[in-house]
Amino acid sequence: MAAAIFGGMWDLLLTDANLATMRGGRYGAIERGAVGIAGGRIAYAGPAGELPDAPGRLAREVESLDGRWVTPGLIDCHTHLVYGGNRAREFEQRLQGATYEDIARAGGGIVSTVRATRDASETRLAQDAAARLRRLMDDGVTTVEIKSGYGLDTPTEIKMLRVARLLGELTGVDVRTTFLGAHALPPEYAGRADAYIDLVCGEMLPAVAAAQLADAVDVFCERIAFSPEQTARVFDRAAALGLPVKLHADQLSDSGGAALAARFHALSAEHLEFTSEEGVRAMAGAGTVAVLLPGAFYFLRETRLPPIDALRAAGVPIAVATDCNPGSSPLTSMLLALNMACTLFRLTPEEALAGATAHAAQALGLGASHGTLEVGKAADLVAWDIESPAELAYAMGANPRHATWKRGVRAP
Ligand SMILES: [Zn+2]
């Protein structure tokens, strides 16, 4: 029996729908279900046969979905959506035989994105990122996380986060912002990583926190980026400012990133290809979500798989995200990310969909308000032209989205 919110008529009642509620990270399927919406929140999600009254007496508007499936709106919990330029030319050069060093010497790589992002106006950054966000929305995304990290100086990091916040206002999508000042070492700090971390902790983080521009703080902890000690300095500062943390961990080597994230009770640790069983156990103990990024694995042609069996055995919630970024994952489709999570990482379609809904919400600290079809949660829903929820991860390049409701309002 599904609980329902009573008191006044609902705004909308969707009937003749099959529901993948994703409660507890499972399909939680309800065939011949109905969803009631009031004040932007879910007022009912359960069997149509258990509705407390006739549809016309429950809601001002009733819409039949003709047997379509309804899921929670998809959540892309790890993106670098705001950036200047792109790296298509570099992609081409590599396939023509240029080495990483050739490209770096010609000014390519992340440095080129940093330069383009510093040079771009706020308007231009917003236009480019909005186009990418619209592609994500096209296949059902209603909440997105956006990281800074291509400014690597205070004004540009602030600019990126302001653009990220603006995108939420422009599109109606819930945008969660993450400060990733410790993403890479800017060229002007070459060989002086500790001095750059001083800048991140002493100037950038306090400025970002004072302007309330970040919902979380992230670091790229890796041999080619920042050490566990430098990461811990940033996390200590984030904790002092009351900001939760996330971590790019163990993508290219096991640097103990997962355990470090757990030590700071991180919301999530992300990538995790080289995470040890010990790291997995630490994450389980801390309630840290594992965010898998199959787009980067694919694009970089990685071969080392994240420890999926160990994550499952330890009961670590697994999320899946696009990692949309110009260098290693120019991916703007959550549905394709779901397919890749299944084909490359061997997640089941149910695990992949949980990774884009319930567990992705948890990775953003939104587990209580988003990610499942449950009474009281945000009425973020997608109706799909599919016969079973597995089709969302199965099809490649298809887009069966029929309609999206964001906080109960039909989105374009
Ligand atoms: Zn990333």
Side-chain angles (χ1 to χ4, degrees):
M1 178 70 191
I5 292 173
F6 297 100
M9 285 188 103
W10 301 335
D11 301 317
L12 174 64
L13 177 60
L14 302 170
T15 60
D16 197 8
N18 298 310
L19 315 181
T21 64
M22 304 317 293
R23 290 173 192 164
R26 310 301 301 268
Y27 284 144
I30 297 171
E31 296 191 17
R32 287 175 293 282
V35 182
I37 296 167
R41 295 196 297 153
I42 295 174
Y44 180 90
E50 294 178 17
L51 280 165
D53 205 341
R57 282 207 289 270
L58 284 168
R60 274 184 284 280
E61 191 188 340
V62 179
E63 181 175 345
S64 167
L65 289 178
D66 300 322
R68 292 186 176 89
W69 278 85
V70 173
T71 68
L74 303 188
I75 298 172
D76 192 351
C77 68
H78 178 141
T79 85
H80 308 252
L81 207 63
V82 174
Y83 58 83
N86 71 56
R87 308 251 284 273
R89 178 70 190 123
E90 184 182 313
F91 178 69
E92 187 164 49
Q93 285 168 332
R94 283 213 204 194
L95 287 165
Q96 288 166 340
T99 64
Y100 188 81
E101 286 72 28
D102 295 335
I103 288 164
R105 252 198 311 277
I110 190 168
V111 175
S112 67
T113 299
V114 171
R115 196 182 318 112
T117 306
R118 287 176 177 178
D119 289 349
S121 69
E122 229 165 281
T123 307
R124 183 58 203 264
L125 284 177
Q127 278 169 353
D128 288 359
R132 291 187 278 272
L133 181 53
R134 274 192 288 273
R135 290 201 289 276
L136 289 172
M137 293 165 70
D138 267 350
D139 61 16
V141 167
T142 54
T143 298
V144 68
E145 184 254 19
I146 302 177
K147 300 175 194 294
S148 69
Y150 292 118
L152 311 181
D153 61 28
T154 307
T156 316
E157 290 292 306
I158 297 261
K159 177 171 73 174
M160 290 183 72
L161 292 168
R162 282 165 50 97
V163 167
R165 287 270 199 247
L166 177 66
L167 288 174
E169 289 162 29
L170 291 175
T171 61
V173 164
D174 277 320
V175 172
R176 302 295 284 181
T177 54
T178 301
F179 170 68
L180 178 59
H183 188 198
L185 200 57
E188 61 273 21
Y189 277 84
R192 297 188 295 132
D194 282 315
Y196 180 64
I197 293 296
D198 289 342
L199 179 75
V200 168
C201 293
E203 182 180 303
M204 286 188 193
L205 248 174
V208 163
Q212 297 189 313
L213 283 171
D215 301 307
V217 172
D218 191 352
V219 174
F220 189 18
C221 180
E222 192 56 66
R223 280 187 314 225
I224 59 163
F226 298 98
S227 69
E229 294 72 28
Q230 289 160 342
T231 302
R233 286 182 58 203
V234 177
F235 281 4
D236 278 329
R237 193 78 184 96
L241 292 164
L243 289 166
V245 298
K246 310 168 80 66
L247 189 64
H248 280 70
D250 308 330
Q251 181 187 8
L252 308 169
S253 63
D254 180 8
S255 47
L260 179 66
R263 179 149 70 83
F264 283 87
H265 296 281
L267 289 170
S268 59
E270 332 218 334
H271 285 294
L272 304 175
E273 279 81 349
F274 284 82
T275 294
S276 64
E277 296 224 357
E278 192 188 332
V280 169
R281 277 196 300 274
M283 288 175 65
T288 297
V289 177
V291 179
L292 304 184
L293 305 169
F297 182 93
Y298 164 83
F299 197 79
L300 296 174
R301 305 175 76 234
E302 289 178 29
T303 54
R304 168 85 174 228
L305 291 165
I308 306 291
D309 287 340
L311 291 167
R312 280 184 184 130
V316 174
I318 298 173
V320 174
T322 63
D323 193 15
C324 177
N325 79 76
S328 64
S329 187
L331 171 61
T332 48
S333 166
M334 270 305 283
L335 294 180
L336 188 51
L338 297 189
N339 176 269
M340 289 177 172
C342 294
T343 54
L344 300 173
F345 294 166
R346 313 309 290 167
L347 292 196
T348 66
E350 184 179 44
E351 286 172 325
L353 188 56
T357 54
H359 295 159
Q362 225 177 310
L364 297 179
L366 297 175
S369 57
H370 291 69
T372 63
L373 303 182
E374 286 181 274
V375 170
K377 287 200 173 180
D380 293 356
L381 324 170
V382 183
W384 308 92
D385 283 313
I386 53 177
E387 306 275 315
S388 75
E391 276 181 54
L392 296 177
Y394 158 77
M396 297 165 66
N399 185 351
R401 185 177 67 97
H402 167 72
T404 300
W405 291 265
K406 180 64 189 170
R407 294 190 184 279
V409 176
R410 180 93 172 230

